[in-house]
Amino acid sequence: QGYPQKYIVKNYFYYYLFKFSAALGEEIFYITFLPFTYWNIDHSVSRRMIIVWSIVMYIGQVSKDILKWPRPLSPPVVKLEMRTNAEYGMPSTHAMAATAISFSFFIATTNQYKYPFELGLVAAFVFSTLVCLSRLYTGMHTVLDVIGGALISAVLLMLLYPAWDTIDHLLLTSPFCPLFSIVVPLVLCYNYPKLDYYSPTRGDTTTILGAAAGATVGFWLNNQYAAPAYTSESFQPGFPLVTSAVVLVLARFFIGILVVLLTRWVMKSVVLGALGYRYKFPIHDLQARRRLEVEVPYKFVTYSSVGFTATVIVPLLHELLGLM
């Protein structure tokens, strides 16, 4: 099962559409879109999305390894992805993430910005549907996996929505927030359900909780020291102003992403090097990196640094460069 299957692409439109849609539920999307909302749209929208995303994804990942429902048999399906093939299938965390992110973004922005309600609803529905369909097209999930993931995410979103403001207020103002944000995710990662064989779910969960922990500490720190917030004042009518706003948005984004990726690379190298020295293994030893005592601290420290950098270091750099 470690070898990709041979197949012939007969419809390149569907192939690239659903390969792209599948990427909207993976790290490359999280590490770009979530910071983008923080840098260019609204702090409160970004905070709510990250809260929902981390809770939904943790529940989804743990549910997979508790239920242990297999992925679709191959053959008859052709699997276009191999990395996640070692994971169980139910529920589809791609479907959960897409539903949570698209509809939490829609709900959070519709309360703060004026745009057609129907347009936002359709956009959220299309986004989540494309990701869900991509899981069927790539052969990674059954219809039941996808429907189950979307429904679980929708239920969790409905349960979390009434508590959004309360959770957000506590995370911004409680003196225990930094400790809580680090300790609780670490405990959850170290006590992740054990499997008979290695699966990337624990590592992916640690990545998500680590990024959320670092971002949450950053939110709290920014609130304590009244860090300047991004505003939408640049988005006013008029072609010159719109053009300058687009340039500003792109500058914030590309500078921010560069710093975030650099942080990930540096921290990954430093943490793996330190753990390799501590446990006596070469940093390229994949089996050693999968051990609990290595994988959890390596991924948690790396991605909590990424979350902190995105919410604290990058905004300070934006301010220093006059991009606020």
Side-chain angles (χ1 to χ4, degrees), residues 27 31-32 35 39 253-271 301-310 313-314 317:
E27 180 186 350
I31 209 170
T32 53
W39 301 330
F253 176 71
F254 285 113
I255 289 172
I257 288 299
L258 181 63
V259 174
V260 164
L261 293 178
L262 181 63
T263 299
R264 184 177 67 166
W265 177 74
V266 169
M267 292 306 299
K268 180 179 179 179
S269 301
V270 170
V271 176
V301 173
T302 298
Y303 283 92
S304 61
S305 300
V306 166
F308 184 82
T309 297
I313 306 301
V314 171
L317 181 60

Side-chain angles (χ1 to χ4, degrees), residues 128-322:
S128 56
T129 299
L130 281 175
V131 176
C132 290
L133 290 177
S134 75
R135 308 317 290 157
L136 303 178
Y137 182 87
T138 55
M140 302 311 297
H141 285 285
T142 65
V143 174
L144 186 59
D145 294 344
V146 170
I147 293 175
L151 287 178
I152 293 170
S153 186
V155 170
L156 290 172
L157 187 56
M158 287 189 291
L159 293 175
L160 289 169
Y161 175 69
W164 264 10
D165 292 338
T166 302
I167 295 173
D168 189 51
H169 177 73
L170 288 174
L171 292 179
L172 290 178
T173 60
S174 173
F176 302 104
C177 172
L179 182 63
F180 177 87
S181 300
I182 298 296
V183 172
V184 172
L186 268 177
V187 170
L188 293 176
C189 292
Y190 275 108
N191 290 278
Y192 192 83
K194 293 180 174 59
L195 297 176
D196 297 331
Y197 64 93
Y198 178 79
S199 167
T201 48
R202 184 183 66 202
D204 291 345
T205 304
T206 305
T207 294
I208 292 164
L209 294 184
T216 303
V217 172
F219 297 151
W220 180 86
L221 195 64
N222 287 339
N223 187 66
Q224 302 307 306
Y225 293 95
Y230 298 91
T231 67
S232 57
E233 291 177 359
S234 302
F235 300 94
Q236 300 296 327
F239 183 75
L241 290 177
V242 170
T243 303
S244 62
V246 171
V247 172
L248 192 64
V249 165
L250 292 176
R252 287 174 180 171
F253 176 71
F254 285 113
I255 289 172
I257 288 299
L258 181 63
V259 174
V260 164
L261 293 178
L262 181 63
T263 299
R264 184 177 67 166
W265 177 74
V266 169
M267 292 306 299
K268 180 179 179 179
S269 301
V270 170
V271 176
L272 270 180
L275 290 171
Y277 178 79
R278 169 67 176 82
Y279 293 107
K280 311 300 180 187
F281 68 87
I283 62 173
H284 298 295
D285 186 344
L286 184 59
Q287 293 302 318
R289 286 163 57 173
R290 290 175 170 178
R291 288 154 44 186
L292 174 68
E293 66 271 21
V294 175
E295 184 176 58
V296 170
Y298 143 55
K299 294 206 167 184
F300 191 88
V301 173
T302 298
Y303 283 92
S304 61
S305 300
V306 166
F308 184 82
T309 297
T311 54
V312 176
I313 306 301
V314 171
L316 289 176
L317 181 60
H318 286 166
E319 184 182 10
L320 183 65
L321 296 174

